[in-house]
Amino acid sequence: MFRGAIVFGFLISFAAAMFWTAQSGLKSTVDSAIAANAERKARNWADYLAHTMPDLDALLQTGVPDEAQNATIETAVQVGDVFRFKLFDANGRLVLISDERGTPLEPGAKADHNGHARSVLETGAAVIEVNDGTEKANRPDLYVEAYVPVPGADGKAVGVVEVYLDQSQVASLFRANFVQLAFVLGGVLLLMFGVPFVAYIVKMRQQVRTGEKVRMLSLVDQITGLNNRNSFFQQAEERRRNGKLDLARTAVIFIDIDKFKAINDTFGHKTGDEFLRHVGNAISSHLGPSDLAARIGGDEFVLLAVDRTDEELYDLIEGVRTTVSEPVRLDGIAITGHLSVGVYLEQGGGLGLEDRMHKADIALYQAKLLGRNTCVVFTPDLEDTIARRRLVEEAVICGLSADRFELYFQPLIDPVGSRVVGFEALLRLQDGQGTFIPPSEFIPIAEETGDIIPIGTWVLEQAIRTAVDWPEHMFVSVNLSTRQFEDGRLTEHVSQFLSDYGFAARRLELEVTESLLIEQSHNASQQLKDLRDLGVTIAMDDFGTGYSSLGYLWQFNFNKLKIDRSFVQSIGQGDGKSREILDTIIMLGHKLDMKVTAEGIETKEQAAVLETLACDHFQGFYYGEPMPLSEMAPYLMEHSVLPLVREDKDAGRDREKAAG
Ligand code: C2E
Ligand code: CA
Ligand code: CA
């Protein structure tokens, strides 16, 4: 309002200044216009006088008009705007003043005092004086004294007449026009400068308003209406300064939506935003008056819960989690989401907010590692877990380029004829210090980061390239991760490597787990079929651990079943049912035209039991542990034919240590 008045006032002053500039500039223009007008009139009038005045020469001589001349003078002073005139002779001497006739002028008395008459006689150019008559008696408000030559019969000047012209009417007319003009000009100037100026002012105001809006927007998360990262820190700091936030009595809660990316990818970003809003609402509805909440990242929220007992804190977190995990209809689609939560609630202590948040984040990270949809409270040992995780991740990421991956090979035995029929390729990774990281640790991480895709391709090529040199009857078995089916190039890679190394497809076995079929993604069944069409053997690994759906076995036409080692290891334990279960699985496999491998055979006893079953292939530490390439030749020389149950040597887990 106030600012508006200032702008308006400024504009008025600006317009006035424009007008004044235009008007003062025009005053001289008006004067010269009047002068020009007067000169033109005076010359015409002088012509008129010269032609109508009887015996002008005599009059110029004497200065005393006769009767006829007086009559002409009377008429002349009524012609046009003339109210008076003076007559000078050819020498510039004043001979007659129209309103002071009768008495001849005394020579030199009122002569050409200013020299204008003589100047006119000499140059022929008129002399014009514009005079203000407002203060003078018998004078109009504005009049002109115009000295113009009186033309003789031959056109040459015979004298000079000083004509008094009343120009007040003309002037007011001119002025009126020029004032209009001034207004027009002022308007034009206003348009030229004022309008851009106003536009500038308006723009500035808009900018200020936009700035305010941007500031507002920059403080509030547009999707959830909670604080954003900046305002969260600002408010926390402000509350801390005002004594309203005591970190020592505050729990820091990190909340992350599980698989939010999948919600976004599957249902679109609009629905993704709706879901964020849903979570934001769930958080808001459980907030206490002194709590502070914010969305600080894509799907990450932070909550400062002040002065809560453990139970209250539990209720708060479970309340939010329960609200979110109830199905919600967004855009006509029912969506169920889950939250992972990390909490830091160490009472007391001198840690700052950022450190506390970091620890809550570590707890959240752990919640994710534990399979999501859970809440983890920070404990100091978590930091080690996370540090370890980082180390492994780093090893995975740079493993290929730093040449830290290596394939080990574990023999597969055919009980009929007791010979080594193939090897399973098992991946090994060393950290920067040359220590082995177990596959159970690095494979899931590589799957998470997606690095398993190039790593898996590398394994395939290495395995084929190595197995090419083995005796013709031996195959190599390679483990595939579900994620390797994602980029759709698996079959292409396999057939490429087979042809590159001239390796027969029947000598390659690919092991997949049930999860591939359960997720039913990336057209996996078609890719499996394509691989089978290449002539490659497809084995279902770890059978018995997951859903172990017979339907899958039936549907996907596996060539081979690998019974999980947990079945083998239960041999000799409990009620002795495991032998029967194994027997049933093997029979079932054979009924479905599959070969069956028993994994994890560690003891003589397990080997002896399995020998009585019609199992096709045996695998386990009892026959041979995974070994580096360098140990394969000596192993094969020693074990080209293996006794199924050995008396001499009992393989143990100890050598497994070498393999991590
Ligand atoms: P898996 O496919 O079930 O591989 C067999 C695992 O059992 C190997 O563990 C092997 O060392 C171990 N093993 C073999 N015989 C015995 C035994 O008698 N007793 C016991 N306790 N264990 C035995 P490893 O090498 O640690 O591999 C673990 C898992 O990592 C593998 O399980 C497989 O799922 C995965 N893996 C290994 N290499 C690769 C790979 O190249 N790609 C993919 N995607 N996964 C791999
Ligand atoms: Ca395997
Ligand atoms: Ca297995």
Side-chain angles (χ1 to χ4, degrees):
M1 189 64 196
F2 177 66
R3 215 180 286 163
I6 291 180
V7 172
F8 183 71
F10 183 87
L11 279 179
I12 292 295
S13 334
F14 180 79
M18 286 287 133
F19 177 72
W20 181 83
T21 310
Q23 210 197 14
S24 66
L26 284 172
K27 186 184 179 310
S28 57
T29 315
V30 171
D31 282 357
S32 54
I34 289 170
N37 178 55
E39 182 187 341
R40 187 173 45 77
K41 281 182 177 173
R43 280 188 187 274
N44 287 344
W45 190 87
D47 272 352
Y48 166 81
L49 190 73
H51 285 107
T52 52
M53 185 63 75
D55 204 1
L56 180 63
D57 287 344
L59 183 61
L60 286 169
Q61 294 277 318
T62 63
V64 183
D66 58 21
E67 208 173 318
Q69 288 170 327
N70 260 329
T72 307
I73 290 169
E74 290 302 327
T75 319
V77 286
Q78 285 160 27
V79 171
D81 307 322
V82 177
F83 65 92
R84 189 177 191 237
F85 71 87
K86 289 180 185 175
L87 206 56
F88 296 87
D89 68 11
N91 298 313
R93 277 189 303 122
L94 177 65
V95 289
L96 179 119
I97 301 173
S98 64
D99 49 4
E100 291 175 27
R101 278 164 291 161
T103 41
L105 294 165
E106 278 171 39
K110 289 185 183 174
D112 178 17
H113 59 97
N114 51 22
H116 288 340
R118 273 190 299 275
S119 132
V120 171
L121 286 166
E122 276 162 25
T123 65
V127 174
I128 313 289
E129 276 180 357
V130 180
N131 296 315
D132 180 2
T134 42
E135 306 277 299
K136 297 176 191 162
N138 307 322
R139 293 283 186 274
D141 284 352
L142 191 111
Y143 66 98
V144 166
E145 291 175 32
Y147 293 78
V148 291
V150 180
D154 56 357
K156 284 176 81 180
V158 289
V160 171
V161 64
E162 180 188 355
V163 189
Y164 284 70
L165 293 151
D166 177 357
Q167 294 289 281
S168 28
Q169 277 192 353
V170 173
S172 58
L173 195 76
F174 271 161
R175 289 231 167 88
N177 283 334
F178 277 116
V179 166
Q180 271 179 13
L181 191 63
F183 268 116
V184 171
L185 266 177
V188 168
L189 289 172
L190 199 65
L191 276 176
M192 278 168 63
F193 299 104
V195 169
F197 177 76
V198 173
Y200 173 75
I201 295 282
V202 169
K203 198 174 157 208
M204 286 301 286
R205 293 197 56 180
Q206 271 174 354
Q207 268 178 6
V208 169
R209 278 207 209 114
T210 314
E212 276 163 10
K213 204 168 165 197
V214 164
R215 218 178 72 81
M216 267 284 294
L217 292 185
S218 70
L219 290 180
V220 174
D221 168 40
Q222 288 308 290
I223 295 176
T224 61
L226 296 175
N227 292 297
N228 64 20
R229 193 181 190 90
N230 286 343
S231 61
F232 170 76
F233 282 111
Q234 274 175 26
Q235 288 211 29
E237 178 54 29
E238 205 173 297
R239 289 184 190 191
R240 236 177 36 74
R241 262 191 276 117
N242 300 339
K244 287 184 185 153
L245 177 68
D246 180 3
L247 286 176
R249 290 185 292 126
T250 300
V252 180
I253 303 166
F254 259 56
I255 299 175
D256 189 285
I257 303 172
D258 292 338
K259 305 205 169 159
F260 179 67
K261 191 179 174 303
I263 296 179
N264 252 341
D265 291 351
T266 317
F267 304 111
H269 284 260
K270 197 168 149 266
T271 309
D273 286 356
E274 288 287 330
F275 194 76
L276 285 173
R277 204 165 293 130
H278 168 58
V279 174
N281 289 341
I283 292 173
S284 302
S285 67
H286 289 87
L287 281 187
S290 334
D291 299 343
L292 187 63
R295 182 167 79 105
I296 54 165
D299 62 339
E300 219 170 63
F301 298 78
V302 68
L303 216 162
L304 299 185
V306 183
D307 270 336
R308 305 291 174 104
T309 63
D310 285 357
E311 275 114 78
E312 284 169 342
L313 207 55
Y314 178 85
D315 289 347
L316 166 69
I317 293 167
E318 282 317 296
V320 174
R321 269 163 43 84
T322 312
T323 309
V324 171
S325 52
E326 278 156 9
V328 59
R329 277 198 96 73
L330 302 175
D331 238 11
I333 311 158
I335 298 180
T336 313
H338 297 289
L339 301 180
S340 292
V341 180
V343 185
Y344 181 76
L345 42 66
E346 198 203 321
Q347 308 283 302
L351 284 187
L353 179 58
E354 300 223 18
D355 287 336
R356 286 166 192 266
M357 284 173 71
H358 178 67
K359 290 182 192 296
D361 197 19
I362 286 176
L364 171 66
Y365 196 86
Q366 181 65 10
K368 294 271 175 197
L369 293 182
L370 291 179
R372 306 184 163 93
N373 190 16
T374 186
C375 174
V376 171
V377 177
F378 176 87
T379 48
D381 58 294
L382 277 186
E383 273 170 322
D384 300 337
T385 311
I386 302 304
R388 171 70 185 169
R389 156 85 194 201
R390 297 250 150 86
L391 178 138
V392 175
E393 211 174 289
E394 143 99 20
V396 163
I397 290 166
C398 62
L400 281 183
S401 57
D403 205 17
R404 291 194 200 145
F405 283 113
E406 188 185 355
L407 284 188
Y408 272 41
F409 296 92
Q410 186 177 30
L412 289 139
I413 315 298
D414 182 353
V416 182
S418 310
R419 39 180 214 150
V420 178
V421 287
F423 288 89
E424 177 177 1
L426 292 160
L427 189 56
R428 297 291 176 260
L429 171 65
Q430 293 176 32
D431 65 17
Q433 272 64 54
T435 312
F436 282 98
I437 301 169
S440 55
E441 198 179 356
F442 74 78
I443 298 276
I445 291 175
E447 287 180 330
E448 243 174 73
T449 61
D451 288 290
I452 195 68
I453 298 170
I455 293 169
T457 310
W458 179 88
V459 171
L460 260 170
E461 183 171 12
Q462 283 303 111
I464 291 172
R465 186 176 152 170
T466 308
V468 150
D469 299 329
W470 299 347
E472 269 290 315
H473 69 279
M474 285 188 191
F475 64 87
V476 67
S477 199
V478 174
N479 293 283
L480 292 183
S481 156
T482 300
R483 292 209 64 178
Q484 286 177 261
F485 288 79
E486 261 175 35
D487 71 354
R489 299 182 57 200
L490 182 61
T491 313
E492 182 192 324
H493 285 143
V494 171
S495 77
Q496 182 70 49
F497 297 143
L498 291 176
S499 76
D500 281 357
Y501 296 97
F503 192 69
R506 62 170 171 79
R507 295 179 65 197
L508 178 65
E509 191 171 292
L510 297 175
E511 301 186 12
V512 298
T513 55
E514 273 175 311
S515 63
L516 176 69
L517 308 168
I518 290 162
E519 286 173 24
Q520 297 223 326
S521 51
H522 307 294
N523 210 9
S525 52
Q526 182 58 46
Q527 293 190 55
L528 279 180
K529 192 177 168 297
D530 294 344
L531 287 167
R532 270 176 52 109
D533 289 348
L534 290 178
V536 168
T537 302
I538 310 289
M540 162 142 332
D541 202 0
D542 302 339
F543 183 78
T545 51
Y547 291 82
S548 302
S549 162
L550 295 176
Y552 291 137
L553 293 177
W554 180 256
Q555 204 179 331
F556 292 105
N557 258 322
F558 283 90
N559 306 103
K560 197 174 198 179
L561 202 64
K562 293 189 82 172
I563 306 172
D564 189 70
R565 63 172 176 269
S566 55
F567 291 92
V568 175
Q569 273 154 16
S570 63
I571 291 174
Q573 292 169 5
D575 54 10
K577 283 254 169 67
S578 46
R579 189 192 175 279
E580 275 166 49
I581 294 171
L582 279 165
D583 195 22
T584 311
I585 296 176
I586 294 163
M587 266 175 43
L588 174 86
H590 287 160
K591 280 250 180 293
L592 292 173
D593 268 345
M594 292 187 283
K595 291 210 179 299
V596 181
T597 301
E599 292 188 299
I601 305 166
E602 290 181 358
T603 65
K604 196 164 101 179
E605 188 199 1
Q606 291 163 352
V609 171
L610 281 163
E611 207 192 340
T612 66
L613 303 172
C615 201
D616 302 286
H617 294 144
F618 291 174
Q619 181 181 8
F621 294 165
Y622 182 69
Y623 302 104
E625 291 162 38
M627 64 193 84
L629 201 55
S630 58
E631 288 177 19
M632 277 183 74
Y635 175 87
L636 281 175
M637 271 200 272
E638 196 186 332
H639 304 283
S640 57
V641 175
L642 287 167
L644 282 185
V645 179
R646 289 171 284 160
E647 298 299 334
D648 49 346
K649 204 164 125 198
D650 202 21
R653 284 166 193 265
D654 38 324
R655 275 185 62 199
E656 168 72 339
K657 280 184 204 132

